[in-house]
Amino acid sequence: MGVTAGAVWGRAEQQDFRSRVRGTLLGAAVGDALGAPVDALTLEEIREAHGAEGLLDLAPAYGRRGAVTHLTQLTLFSVDGLIRAQVRRDTGAWHPPTDVHRAYRRWAATQSDWGPDERRKDDGWLAREEWLYARRDPARACLLGLGDDIMGTLDAPKNPGESGPEAAARSAPFGLLVGWEPQLVMQLAVECAAQTHGHPAAYLSAGAYAVVVHALARGESLDAAVQQALALLAGRPGQQQVTDALQHALGAVRQGMPSPGRVEELAGDGAAEGLLAAAVYCVLVGDDVRHGLCLAVNHGGPSAATAALTGGLLGALHGETALPPAWLAELEGRPSLLVLADDFAMEMTQGPALHGPAGSSPGWLARYPRG
């Protein structure tokens, strides 16, 4: 797309961008929902429950088909925080990590409250969505990292030993800031990941993932996107594990037919860099979106996170129309996801018309308050 900050968006560019935003958010959520029922199972247990080929369709989790986990919940609050950061910029307050942290704290409230608190007028519309108050096995690192008002930073990260994939799995929205330079996208994703996951491999995996999504959303190939992430990782302290994992994924493509064993090998012990590598591999070798997502869930590692990462990449690469419609039809929270995706696309392409020197839309500021 070649979009830069301050660019005037043509209609075709806006439509393409909206399709990729929708694709990224819906793809990550569909992957999350596909993997949720088998998240804690070995490959043998998956095959025992779903047949010799493994899981090939949505299955019940949390009492229904198409249910999402806390990974999708947090991804939505990433988007909410980024929109709020843009709106708050009018006030002269411009620090996106703080706005994203506030959004994550609103998610943390959904995990302890029974339902929306109408007295909190600055929460915005997303925090009033009752379906988000379901507790979906939130990672301990997320609950601990967001359990108080102190924001983790790179100098003083929360959970410094935590190398899990949850921060990376909520980081696709940072990549959708297509008007930003890639190094700034990486830095923002890294800083926001450190709010819950303080191990360098975890927050640098989040940064690398966001850069890959960013390149895909701008029309690059996946191979070019990964090369860009590798270039931006170079020289960063603690990057070797992430760099090695991504290079391993690229090399694995040339090692015969894709298999659950290959995905499991890349995923390793379930740390962030392994699941990032597995996701890149599944996109590179998948025949189509459905095949790539099925590859991502049929292994003994964290299936929901692997498929969420994979789905985000597939959606950014191909747009929303490539996603399996039968799965989208059953996806929990799809109306909210679509509204948020379209709001994000509108804010990023037409923000000055919604709030700015020429005047502000009261409805928009009620949805995304400056407070």
Side-chain angles (χ1 to χ4, degrees):
M1 286 173 60
V3 177
T4 56
V8 176
W9 292 70
R11 183 171 296 177
E13 282 183 320
Q14 288 186 39
Q15 289 175 341
D16 179 72
F17 178 58
R18 187 176 71 170
S19 175
R20 290 178 194 266
V21 172
R22 283 182 163 198
T24 301
L25 298 185
L26 290 171
V30 162
D32 184 25
L34 187 67
V38 296
D39 203 39
L41 303 183
T42 65
L43 180 59
E44 292 70 27
E45 290 169 332
I46 294 172
R47 287 173 169 165
E48 191 175 315
H50 300 283
E53 292 186 62
L55 180 69
L56 300 176
D57 197 2
L58 294 176
Y62 308 106
R64 59 159 290 172
R65 283 165 57 104
V68 298
T69 77
H70 73 288
L71 301 174
T72 295
Q73 294 174 343
L74 271 163
T75 299
L76 295 187
F77 280 94
S78 293
V79 179
D80 183 59
L82 290 175
I83 296 174
R84 297 275 284 264
Q86 291 293 113
V87 172
R88 278 173 55 81
R89 193 174 191 173
D90 297 340
T91 70
W94 176 242
H95 193 247
T98 297
D99 292 301
V100 172
H101 183 252
R102 287 173 175 160
Y104 290 160
R105 289 280 290 144
R106 290 192 288 277
W107 168 81
T110 70
Q111 303 301 288
S112 58
D113 294 350
W114 289 102
D117 187 342
E118 297 298 332
R119 294 170 298 180
R120 293 200 295 258
K121 299 300 182 187
D122 284 343
D123 276 0
W125 77 274
L126 188 65
R128 291 195 287 271
E129 294 286 286
E130 292 193 12
W131 69 277
L132 287 170
Y133 285 74
R135 196 172 168 110
R136 297 291 170 76
D137 296 320
R140 187 167 176 268
C142 295
L143 294 175
L144 287 176
L146 303 169
D148 56 42
D149 286 328
I150 300 170
M151 184 175 76
T153 64
L154 287 176
D155 290 333
K158 293 288 188 79
N159 305 311
E162 181 55 61
S163 60
E166 296 83 14
R170 66 175 186 247
S171 293
F174 304 117
L176 297 173
L177 295 168
V178 296
W180 288 36
E181 292 300 320
Q183 61 268 30
L184 296 178
V185 167
M186 173 173 274
Q187 186 63 24
L188 178 58
V190 163
E191 289 186 28
C192 292
Q195 295 173 9
T196 58
H197 289 66
H199 193 287
Y203 60 67
L204 290 176
S205 291
Y209 182 63
V211 167
V212 173
V213 170
H214 184 258
L216 296 178
R218 292 170 63 111
E220 300 281 349
S221 70
L222 181 55
D223 190 68
V226 173
Q227 295 300 334
Q228 190 166 90
L230 288 168
L232 289 173
L233 285 168
R236 277 189 172 261
Q239 53 78 30
Q240 199 61 52
Q241 285 173 255
V242 185
T243 296
D244 290 347
L246 284 172
Q247 290 175 335
H248 190 189
L250 296 177
V253 174
R254 299 186 291 274
Q255 295 174 0
M257 292 289 288
S259 67
R262 187 80 64 213
V263 176
E264 203 157 284
E265 178 206 348
L266 288 165
D269 61 0
E273 73 276 9
L275 297 199
L276 172 62
V280 167
Y281 173 79
C282 290
V283 177
L284 284 170
V285 302
D287 296 330
D288 54 25
V289 170
R290 184 183 289 267
H291 182 223
L293 286 172
C294 287
L295 275 173
V297 298
N298 285 294
H299 61 91
S303 297
T306 310
L309 291 163
T310 302
L313 296 179
L314 287 164
L317 181 61
H318 299 297
E320 63 170 322
T321 56
L323 302 174
W327 291 353
L328 290 177
E330 294 190 74
L331 179 64
E332 181 182 29
R334 181 167 67 106
S336 304
L337 279 153
L338 284 170
V339 168
L340 195 62
D342 289 353
D343 280 1
F344 179 89
M346 192 155 59
E347 173 63 45
M348 296 305 153
T349 59
Q350 301 177 73
L354 296 165
H355 54 89
S360 298
S361 161
W364 194 254
L365 296 182
R367 294 171 65 72
Y368 302 103
R370 288 178 172 139

